[in-house]
Amino acid sequence: MKNKNLINISECIKQCILNKNPYLTGLCFVLFFYIAIYLSFLLQTNFLPYVLDNNETFSNLIHAKNLYDFGLTESFGLTDESYGLFSEAHPYVYTHQGNFPRIYAFLLYSLGIRSAEWQIGISTFTIGLAGIWFCYHYFAKYVSSLFSVIFCLLLMTDYIMFAQWQVNTWRVWHLFFFFSSFLCCHGLNSSRRKLFIFLSIVNFACLFYMEICFALFVFLSCIVYLFLQKEISWKTWFLDCTALGMGSALGMGILVIQNIAYLGWDDFLQDFSNTFISRNHFSQGDTNFVKDTMDFYKAHKITFWDNFYPSEGLRNPIKILKSFYYYNLLPYTPFITLAACIVMIKTVIVYIRSQASENYFKRNIFSERTFKYLMIFSFSFCLFFLTIFSYPVNWGKKQVILEFFKPFSFSSFVAANYFFFKFIDQCTIKMKEKKLIINSLDAIATLAFFFLISCISYFTFKLNREASGIALFLQERTFWGLSGAIIPTLAILLFISNPLYVYRNKSESLFEMETFKKIIPFLLAISLGFLSAYLILPGYIISAYFSRYCCYTVFFHISLYAWFFYIISVQILSYFKDYNLKVPLSYEESLHSSNSSGKLFWKLGNSLFLLVTFSFLWFSLQSYYIKEFPPEDFNFVKLLQNEPFHNHSIVSNQYAAPFSFVGQNWAYFDPEFGYSTIDNNKSNEIQYKKDLKYLWLADELTNQQYQKPEFFICWSVYSFDQLGKEKPKCSQYPFINLARRKEGQKLGLKELAADTSGRDKWSIIDLRETQK
């Protein structure tokens, strides 16, 4: 009876695995989870999430509103950043990119969809949904349906590097254009080539009219990707690149023409020079350049963030590696990153091994005793080395060694070694002389694997020490409370990732290698595309993307983690494909079947342990980030829709676009206003500190009202860099403390609303009595 039940269960699982239409099954699965995840996300936040930064949604709406209210006459179609209500305050333009997403926001705005909540909801489930479909379609069609599902699930649940930006009406276009560009590359070499030439031109024109830095990265990646397609000739590659270049030139050309029309030729060149130098070739301490640049932009009514990024050493390979690890890999914790690297290194080595000529390595060089001792030493040393460097970076050697040799850890270490040696006995070839003969290429691949893992663990440890604050905090708050599980997890991971183990299972290895071959062009293309874009615009990439943890290289490192989960999942699924439940007819068949089933079950157990462990780690990490950076904190901005705040002017210590749009009046960002305090010489007056470089209103010199805002809003945004540190609070500003004291209240300051959660993230101060 039990056997029949097992057979039925096995058959059901096989039917699911061998579904006749895995593409459609996977697509329905991905779209269902996308809608479920992001609908829950938006419902939790009342369709107004913020997390680390959602200012761009409100900027997008202001761009659309200005385009709708004031047209193209004065701005020549450039982005109008002015937060004023009347024509005198316009335009105050942004010249450095076209901001294509505002066109979609303008379309929705023209149709009467004029609230941030509705714009976010519609963008998430139109552009965002199309983007995730493009993503799934690309990987399902050109790599694997299973890999595509895993990639999409990890991407959708990546809270810091992707999910928070997917509900941003400006950043939601990144996923859309990234995968639409790669799909265009394939379409150019399909039977519908003429259609895709047109679509590629339109796609890259829109992309380069959106954000030049991201567009450059995608464009260069696609050029490399086309080059790596084996089936196309040099002539076809050149024609394909021409189509991409035409679209890029069209998008850039429109922006250049608009800039020249607004500024004139000479000022356009000056604007281009100032922007490029300040972001990528600025020498720290060059105060004259800073002053001249800011004066130029003020005089020409151009928005420009005071972001002069020092360029010294940015193009140094070590600096590139450090910045990439710190901003792109560290948020996933050192342990998950190490695990993914182990599997990827294994895959690369096995791939190289599978491509190598067997004839060249006919010589067998290791005897039984030599090989056994060599494997014992390599495995033990690698595991010890990897574990020592995986523990928190501030632990002393004594503490680490004591932790390492906990009874549970030590017994797991011994058990893992035993199973590893047992495997070596089974996978080697016994000769008549009872000597074990190992192909030299297999041995070299295995030793290279252990050596590279040891090197990776060492470099990861060094990088963690340089980022000790955030690395230590992530280690202690995520996985390291379960430190007893580190050793068995790493031991099993090393055991099943050993190239000798993988290559001896040739049927499984060939399946993995076929999938890996398909993903190699994608990984190489985006790696070289990123590196090329970084070498051209390093300062802008670090300051505008990396330091903000934006979705720039997220599609690369999610591929790394997706491959890790894919390999584990394939090993689990292969168990159900290989497992035979037939009853043996003889004792010998029964014994053979039992041994085979035992091996398969052991393989299944290892894979399930890793899948459950790392799935738990992934989702517990995302859950921790949600608690650390709640998405719903910005809902207080809705207070500005009502009295006494509505239609009143605002000065803020953060981006002013949300407050201007919701409050329906002019607003500006002043980084110094919060440091205002009582004048030491006049105890009955407030000494206001002001920095009006972000007063982006065209009539700023003639309208004196801008000197007297009616409300001050403090909004303390937490940065990812502040993990483990004291969070910023509004009470850190002297002006907020003054308003909360009696002496400030006597001068007319009133705190009308404040954060009551205990985190003191926001406060609204009434300034009207002090401005009379």
Side-chain angles (χ1 to χ4, degrees), residues 273-293:
S273 174
N274 287 348
T275 304
F276 186 78
I277 292 174
S278 63
R279 300 293 193 257
N280 306 290
H281 286 281
F282 175 68
S283 297
Q284 196 166 16
D286 191 351
T287 55
N288 291 331
F289 176 77
V290 173
K291 183 179 181 305
D292 292 343
T293 299

Side-chain angles (χ1 to χ4, degrees), residues 53-200:
D53 182 6
N54 200 4
N55 174 70
E56 287 157 330
T57 289
F58 294 93
S59 295
N60 225 11
L61 275 163
I62 287 177
H63 301 160
K65 181 178 182 298
N66 289 341
L67 187 59
Y68 184 85
D69 291 340
F70 303 105
L72 308 175
T73 307
E74 297 294 328
S75 66
F76 295 95
L78 291 169
T79 305
D80 186 355
E81 286 275 359
S82 174
Y83 301 160
L85 297 181
F86 305 107
S87 58
E88 293 80 6
H90 297 265
Y92 212 100
V93 301
Y94 189 70
T95 60
H96 306 139
Q97 58 194 32
N99 284 336
F100 172 79
R102 69 192 166 105
I103 298 175
Y104 187 70
F106 168 74
L107 176 62
L108 296 179
Y109 193 89
S110 301
L111 294 173
I113 302 166
R114 300 182 178 181
S115 72
E117 294 91 334
W118 275 101
Q119 290 251 351
I120 289 172
I122 291 173
S123 297
T124 302
F125 294 110
T126 54
I127 306 306
L129 198 64
I132 206 69
W133 174 40
F134 288 169
C135 174
Y136 173 82
H137 178 75
Y138 169 78
F139 284 116
K141 187 171 182 179
Y142 301 111
V143 181
S144 157
S145 294
L146 176 61
F147 181 84
S148 185
V149 170
I150 293 171
F151 183 95
C152 291
L153 284 178
L154 291 179
L155 191 68
M156 291 186 294
T157 56
D158 184 354
Y159 183 69
I160 294 296
M161 302 292 285
F162 181 79
Q164 66 160 323
W165 305 107
Q166 191 68 359
V167 291
N168 177 317
T169 63
W170 200 89
R171 299 285 171 186
V172 71
W173 289 90
H174 280 57
L175 175 69
F176 180 93
F177 278 125
F178 186 86
F179 284 101
S180 69
S181 300
F182 276 87
L183 289 173
C184 282
C185 290
H186 282 281
L188 286 170
N189 297 288
S190 68
S191 58
R192 296 178 293 173
R193 180 175 175 80
K194 291 182 180 179
L195 171 63
F196 274 94
I197 288 175
F198 171 75
L199 291 177
S200 297

